[in-house]
């Protein structure tokens, strides 16, 4: 795998925390930063995938109505919470 150097200016306090974690984990600063960046990229890709799936479902008319969500949310603090609402075709 080829690599390349990416430089970023980060607050001193954050850099000190990275150094502390690197030392306690017996890893390099680069390893810590690489792990953090990989996790962030994974979350962003997951959010994008979920957004695209939601847009696709909406285009197909598979949506959850506002009143269904409100009723479900209101039921969560009761002794008999409703199941999560299911999409209804429009």
């Amino acid at each position: 795998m080829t690599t390349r150097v990416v430089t970023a200016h980060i607050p001193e306090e954050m850099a000190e925390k990275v150094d502390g974690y690197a030392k306690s984990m017996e890893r390099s600063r680069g390893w810590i930063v690489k792990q953090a960046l990989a996790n962030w990229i994974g979350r962003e890709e997951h959010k994008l995938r979920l957004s695209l799936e939601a847009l696709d479902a909406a285009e197909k008319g598979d949506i959850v109505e506002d009143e269904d969500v409100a009723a479900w949310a209101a039921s969560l603090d009761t002794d008999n919470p409703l199941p999560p609402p299911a999409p209804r075709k429009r």
Side-chain angles (χ1 to χ4, degrees):
M1 169 177 63
T2 60
T3 64
R4 80 178 171 172
V5 174
V6 176
T7 303
H9 289 269
I10 61 173
E12 185 70 31
E13 184 178 311
M14 188 182 294
E16 289 172 6
K17 287 181 180 183
V18 169
D19 289 342
Y21 283 118
K23 183 177 180 181
S24 70
M25 296 172 70
E26 298 181 355
R27 296 288 189 160
S28 69
R29 180 186 302 143
W31 185 89
I32 300 290
V33 171
K34 199 181 320 179
Q35 292 298 308
L37 190 54
N39 287 332
W40 178 80
I41 289 170
R43 286 191 311 272
E44 290 302 309
E45 288 173 340
H46 183 71
K47 287 186 334 190
L48 176 59
R49 190 170 44 258
L50 290 176
S51 295
L52 294 174
E53 288 173 9
L55 288 171
D56 185 50
E59 287 177 3
K60 293 176 182 175
D62 293 333
I63 59 169
V64 177
E65 299 293 338
D66 292 346
E67 60 270 11
D68 295 345
V69 173
W72 169 72
S75 79
L76 294 177
D77 285 335
T78 69
D79 290 335
N80 297 309
L82 297 171
R88 291 195 256 166
K89 285 277 191 190
R90 278 194 165 183

